C-alpha cells in the first residue's frame, strides 16, 4: 500500500532540498530592473522645467464648434471629467490623446497646445494684451 506524506502546515515542514535557488543571472536581472525603475522615478531623469506650463485652447475650440463637454468626451472616447481637467490645465494629455484632439479639430498641435513662456509671435504688454506681431 502507498504511504501518504504528512501534510505541510507551514514553511518549517518543507524539506530543505525541496527549494532550488534561482540562477545568478536572474538576481542580476531583477536588480537591474529595480535600478532602472528607481532612476526613472527620480526628478533628475525627467525634463522638468518649473517655469514652463502647458496650456491649451480646448475650451475655446469646443465652444467655437458648438460642442458640450459631453460631446467632446464622447468624440475623444474619454470621460467628461478628463475634459474638465484638460480645460482647466490640471491634466496633461498623452501624445495619443493630443493627436486625437488635433485630428478632431483639424488643427496642428501647436495651435491647440502651447507653453506658458511662448508668446506666439505677439508682443505682450504689462496687462497681457497682445498688440502687434514681433518681427
Amino acid at each position: 500500500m502507498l504511504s501518504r506524506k504528512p501534510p505541510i502546515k507551514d514553511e518549517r515542514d518543507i524539506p530543505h532540498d525541496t527549494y532550488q535557488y534561482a540562477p545568478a543571472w536572474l538576481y542580476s536581472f531583477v536588480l537591474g530592473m529595480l535600478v532602472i525603475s528607481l532612476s526613472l522615478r527620480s526628478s533628475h531623469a525627467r525634463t522638468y522645467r518649473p517655469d514652463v506650463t502647458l496650456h491649451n485652447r480646448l475650451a475655446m475650440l469646443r465652444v467655437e464648434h458648438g460642442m458640450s463637454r459631453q460631446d467632446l468626451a464622447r468624440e475623444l472616447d474619454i470621460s467628461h471629467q478628463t475634459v474638465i481637467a484638460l480645460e482647466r490645465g490640471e491634466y496633461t494629455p498623452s501624445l495619443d490623446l493630443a493627436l486625437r484632439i488635433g485630428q478632431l479639430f483639424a488643427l496642428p498641435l501647436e495651435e491647440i497646445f502651447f507653453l506658458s513662456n511662448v508668446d506666439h509671435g505677439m508682443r505682450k504688454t504689462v496687462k497681457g494684451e497682445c498688440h502687434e506681431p514681433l518681427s
Side-chain angles (χ1 to χ4, degrees), residues 1-132:
M1 190 161 170
L2 296 173
S3 65
R4 294 186 64 174
K5 294 181 180 178
I8 297 174
K9 295 180 181 171
D10 64 10
E11 64 271 359
R12 288 175 280 164
D13 296 334
I14 299 173
H16 293 293
D17 59 345
T18 304
Y19 290 113
Q20 294 180 359
Y21 291 101
W25 66 265
L26 183 60
Y27 290 115
S28 298
F29 175 78
V30 171
L31 182 61
M33 294 301 291
L34 179 64
V35 168
I36 289 171
S37 67
L38 290 175
S39 68
L40 290 176
R41 289 183 187 168
S42 74
S43 61
H44 302 292
R46 295 185 186 134
T47 304
Y48 178 68
R49 296 173 18 196
D51 57 330
V52 177
T53 307
L54 183 69
H55 296 282
N56 65 65
R57 296 180 39 223
L58 197 55
M60 187 181 349
L61 291 169
R62 177 180 58 80
V63 171
E64 286 175 2
H65 285 80
M67 300 173 79
S68 68
R69 287 185 174 132
Q70 289 285 5
D71 295 336
L72 182 60
R74 197 174 307 111
E75 288 289 327
L76 296 173
D77 194 29
I78 58 176
S79 68
H80 72 279
Q81 290 95 343
T82 303
V83 172
I84 293 169
L86 281 167
E87 289 181 354
R88 290 181 179 172
E90 297 170 354
Y91 176 71
T92 301
S94 65
L95 180 58
D96 175 55
L97 179 56
L99 290 171
R100 285 188 285 151
I101 292 169
Q103 286 178 340
L104 178 66
F105 293 115
L107 290 171
L109 295 182
E110 297 85 21
E111 292 188 25
I112 301 171
F113 301 98
F114 55 93
L115 300 174
S116 63
N117 68 346
V118 177
D119 60 0
H120 300 289
M122 302 295 278
R123 186 171 293 134
K124 297 193 179 225
T125 63
V126 176
K127 292 183 180 179
E129 301 166 359
C130 297
H131 286 286
E132 62 186 62

